Every structure is written in structure tokens, then in C-alpha cells.
Amino acid sequence: MVENVIWPAYLDATKSRAEGRRVPLDEAVDDPSVDEIAEAVQQVGYDAVIERETTYSREFDPRGRVLVKGADDASKNDLVKAIAAYVAILRD
């Protein structure tokens, strides 16, 4: 089983592509939390495990990460875009 790692920076509208954002700016959200990401992962239909004490290599402050289990059938890019869309929906 493949585990995909989703860092909050991947979805963060305050980050540039060079700083780690992986979705287009119009699909990104401001300062996503690992809790929001984990909830969005579950809405997409996969299991999520939150690791809070880790730091993304392009950031200084630890925000954590989310491990996505069971996403063997989806590309990471598609997965990140779907999660970003659900985080935006959860905020509305």
C-alpha cells in the first residue's frame, strides 16, 4: 500500500510554487491546517493519519503533515487538487 504525504504548504495560498505550493493559486486556501486536510482526505474516501511534529523542508515552523493511505489508484497531483477543493468546501 502506498502512502502519500500531504504537507499544508502544498495547498497554501500564501506560498509560491518555489515555496512548495502544488495547486494553482485559485484552488489554494489560506493557511490550511492538518486537521482540515485530514478531514478533506476522508471526504475524498481515503484514510488519513496526522503527524503533527514534523516540518516541511521548505518551512521553518512545524505544521505537521497528513499521510494518505489507500490512494493507490490516484496520482498525487489529482489527490492534492481534490483535497484542496474539499478544504475550500469545508471552509464555506
Side-chain angles (χ1 to χ4, degrees):
M1 179 185 310
V2 175
E3 283 185 354
N4 284 299
V5 176
I6 308 297
W7 295 96
Y10 290 0
L11 315 174
D12 197 338
T14 65
K15 302 288 183 187
S16 67
R17 291 281 189 165
E19 293 172 320
R21 182 174 43 85
R22 290 194 173 194
V23 296
L25 194 54
D26 62 335
E27 296 177 21
V29 294
D30 289 331
D31 197 31
S33 70
V34 290
D35 295 318
E36 290 175 316
I37 294 170
E39 188 175 345
V41 167
Q42 291 171 345
Q43 292 292 322
V44 174
Y46 300 113
D47 294 327
V49 176
I50 297 173
E51 293 184 347
R52 295 187 188 276
E53 298 300 318
T54 58
T55 305
Y56 184 50
S57 62
R58 298 180 190 185
E59 295 182 319
F60 297 105
D61 296 325
R63 293 204 288 178
R65 67 183 181 181
V66 177
L67 300 177
V68 180
K69 298 184 178 193
D72 300 334
D73 57 338
S75 72
K76 186 161 186 171
N77 190 41
D78 291 340
L79 181 64
V80 171
K81 283 185 173 193
I83 291 169
Y86 272 100
V87 170
I89 289 169
L90 291 171
R91 286 190 173 186
D92 286 341

